[in-house]
Amino acid sequence: MTVHPPVAGHCDELQAALTAFRASAHVTQRWGERLAAVLGGGGRLLAAGNGGSAAQAQHLTAELVGRYRDDRPPFSAIALHADTSSTTAIANDYGVDEVFARQVRAHGRRGDVLMLLSTSGASANLLSAADAARSAGVRVWALTGCAPNPLMAGSDESLCVDAPATATVQEIHLVAVHMICAAFDAALERGARGARTARGAGRAAQRKRR
């Protein structure tokens, strides 16, 4: 069977984008480690996107409430677009631009994290959510397409995928989600090992005192 250039070319575009994105691995690691500290301390992750980006945001929250690879406790993570009753009511009463911002004001607490995913980096409802989050003391991270873009400018930190096709940007965003989850789990495991070591040292000290 002949594979037409636009079909095979999709793999070529993805490979080029992934190679470039690998240089951002340190950012995904930092985000995962920070999430482990925030969620492990009782904080919450809020996430949102539109269309395919909504699916990616929900994928991230599912990995945290459920699990990524190995079994571990659940952590608080909410995909704001998944509450259809709230989003449709807010859109009807306050306008589409408020569908995420109003939920951020309801659920976000100082020290929490808001993750916003957008291939364009220009969605008005995500920009409003970023503004609401910063006002509430919630840290804003953005996964976007090519830089510069408005969402990148309106966030505390951003990861921008340099790729010409929306589909490729979305695929790299999924890679980033998994990288963040891997860093999150690794940070939790390091913390658990450290706690076990400290308990062991404490018990040894008690035995010596006896």
Side-chain angles (χ1 to χ4, degrees), residues 24 50 68 74-75 100 107 139 143 179:
S24 300
N50 296 294
Y68 175 54
F75 292 90
F100 300 136
H107 300 302
R139 191 161 187 80
L143 277 173
M179 292 168 75

Side-chain angles (χ1 to χ4, degrees), residues 2 4 7 19-20 24 46 50 61 100 104 106 111 122 125 140 146 195:
T2 300
H4 296 287
V7 178
T19 298
S24 300
L46 305 176
N50 296 294
T61 59
F100 300 136
V104 168
N125 55 10
V140 182
C146 295

Side-chain angles (χ1 to χ4, degrees), residues 9-81:
H10 183 90
C11 292
D12 297 333
E13 288 183 6
L14 178 58
Q15 185 174 33
L18 184 58
T19 298
F21 189 75
R22 196 178 190 283
S24 300
H26 66 288
V27 179
T28 59
Q29 178 170 329
R30 185 173 70 248
W31 285 7
E33 291 171 348
R34 179 59 184 161
L35 273 183
V38 171
L39 274 58
R44 172 177 291 158
L45 171 71
L46 305 176
N50 296 294
S53 295
Q56 304 285 29
Q58 195 166 343
H59 189 127
L60 172 59
T61 59
E63 301 282 30
L64 296 172
V65 177
R67 68 177 185 181
Y68 175 54
R69 288 179 178 164
D70 299 325
D71 191 31
R72 55 159 168 70
F75 292 90
S76 182
I78 299 174
L80 300 179
H81 55 273

